[in-house]
Amino acid sequence: MNRSPAETSDVVILGGGAAGLSLAHRLTETGAASVTVVEPPDGPLRPAERTWCFWGEDGDDLDGAVSASWSALRVHGADGRAVTVDPAPFTYRMVSSTTFERRVHSLLARSPGGRLLRATADAVRDVPGGAVVRCTLPSGRPLTLRARRVFDSRPPRALPPARTQMLQHFRGWFVRTGAARFDPAVADLMDFRVPQPAHGLAFGYVLPLAPDRALVEYTEFSRAALTTDAYEAALGHYCHDVLGLGALTVERTEQGVIPMTDARFPRRSGKAIFRIGTAGGATRPATGYTFAAVQRQSKAIAAALRDGRGTVPAPHGRRALAMDAVLLRALDTGRIDGPDFFTGLFRSIPPARLLRFLDGATSPGEEWAIGLRTPVRPMLRTAAELPFVPRRSRPIARNGESHR
């Protein structure tokens, strides 16, 4: 950590969110490369504390970063009927950005080739033998970093053209109730007992942290985000009228917007400049889940660098993206009823298989069997028309990164 900040690294990572920190974690863990992580200095560019959720198994190497987990998942249909499933061998897990950040920063500090740099990355470009990053330090002094490879996790300035672009947008309250209202073992993944928008779908999301504490969210899949007042009204209705929580205190909030799109995200913006995270297409188009894909890609990148390969694997396979494109289009056109569709999956498909499907880890045979449990005619009609739908550019919704 006594090196000059202008010294060349094997790798420079831009951004200290889930994707940037995860890649730094894997590279320092394996010793595959010397790493400099460039994070924004304290101020408006640094995101607020947030949470990331994913499916995991006990004993994986993220155990120390997990702040809460749930061994049962529940989905409430719009008809009020609930289905509770045991996702074993998986549990649903929450990672706090603050905890994960501390862990990776500690790894960087202990690594002979690790460095954390607080600076604003202004520009990055290819040069012979690698790339350079031009930064501005908090003092205002310019700084140039050199690396053999740069991995850029910063949000893109514009989304690539797409046939379908929806948004997963949400606001959550970390609440404390006056009495025990939650079962800490059960996560309510989707609760459709909320008023549905004219276009898209809406659901509640409850992650209990203690019998009297939970993260309670209101989420929509639709074309445009809501105002803060609209989210607050929806959360108030859900907490009081649907969940019946009674008196409660809101201790903290979080809010986000995640693109749900069949856009083709380029995985590199230069010969030695690679895009990772949401900017590199890691967000699963039909669900908004990102964290698990980021872990898979980070492991693959670390292994490639360790073995002397310069490739960056795609975060999702072509088959998964093709299925997601059909589902997104079917949701966007209203050909399928979103609440019925997702509730039906949880009611009819073995939970471990469904979770692997949502993560893109199922076989063609398993996917065929799952497809037969969906509304076949609307999905086939959508698949037939999709090749003829033009890709168009649309404005990007600013947020930061995925909640999941």
Side-chain angles (χ1 to χ4, degrees), residues 36-309:
T36 296
V37 178
V38 181
E39 293 188 6
D42 292 335
L45 293 179
R46 281 189 66 75
E49 183 177 4
R50 57 252 186 249
T51 55
W52 303 308
C53 293
F54 67 105
W55 322 112
E57 296 185 60
D58 289 340
D60 69 23
D61 52 7
L62 287 174
D63 278 352
V66 172
S67 58
S69 65
W70 299 271
S71 57
L73 302 176
R74 186 166 54 202
V75 173
H76 294 268
D79 59 6
R81 292 191 299 127
V83 55
T84 303
V85 300
D86 177 356
F90 302 110
T91 56
Y92 194 51
R93 315 181 121 198
M94 174 190 284
V95 171
S96 158
S97 64
T98 300
T99 302
F100 194 47
E101 188 176 80
R102 285 198 206 103
R103 176 176 179 165
V104 177
H105 287 181
S106 177
L107 282 173
L108 286 168
R110 297 197 306 269
S111 170
R115 173 174 44 182
L116 172 67
L117 179 67
R118 297 286 193 188
T120 302
D122 301 313
V124 56
R125 62 182 177 86
D126 281 317
V127 295
V132 297
V133 181
R134 302 200 182 279
C135 303
T136 303
L137 297 172
S139 65
R141 182 169 68 88
L143 175 69
T144 299
L145 300 175
R146 292 174 174 82
R148 287 194 295 153
R149 295 179 182 85
V150 172
F151 292 92
D152 191 349
S153 70
R154 296 172 299 169
R157 294 181 179 178
L159 290 175
R163 294 167 297 192
T164 308
Q165 182 178 308
M166 299 179 74
L167 301 174
Q168 179 178 156
H169 51 100
F170 57 88
R171 183 172 174 84
W173 288 347
F174 286 85
V175 302
R176 185 181 295 273
T177 55
R181 301 290 186 184
F182 306 107
D183 181 350
V186 181
D188 283 303
L189 203 61
M190 288 180 153
D191 186 343
F192 293 109
R193 297 174 298 170
V194 296
Q196 295 299 310
H199 180 273
L201 60 94
F203 57 89
Y205 176 71
V206 183
L207 301 183
L209 305 174
D212 62 344
R213 293 175 54 242
L215 168 60
V216 181
E217 270 187 13
Y218 173 81
T219 301
E220 282 192 14
F221 294 0
S222 59
R223 293 177 182 170
L226 305 181
T227 64
T228 299
D229 286 346
Y231 288 121
E232 290 284 295
L235 276 165
H237 168 75
Y238 182 54
C239 286
H240 297 295
D241 300 332
V242 177
L243 298 179
L245 297 184
L248 59 85
T249 301
V250 178
E251 299 182 323
R252 184 162 63 87
T253 65
E254 65 178 27
Q255 187 167 323
V257 180
I258 305 166
M260 301 176 69
T261 172
D262 66 353
R264 295 168 178 161
F265 288 84
R267 297 203 302 278
R268 57 201 310 169
S269 54
K271 187 176 180 180
I273 306 165
F274 302 88
R275 301 289 285 177
I276 57 173
T278 296
T283 298
R284 185 76 195 263
T287 64
Y289 281 99
T290 305
F291 195 81
V294 159
Q295 301 314 307
R296 291 194 300 269
Q297 188 181 49
S298 297
K299 289 180 181 179
I301 291 171
L305 294 183
R306 182 194 60 213
D307 298 340
R309 294 178 280 117

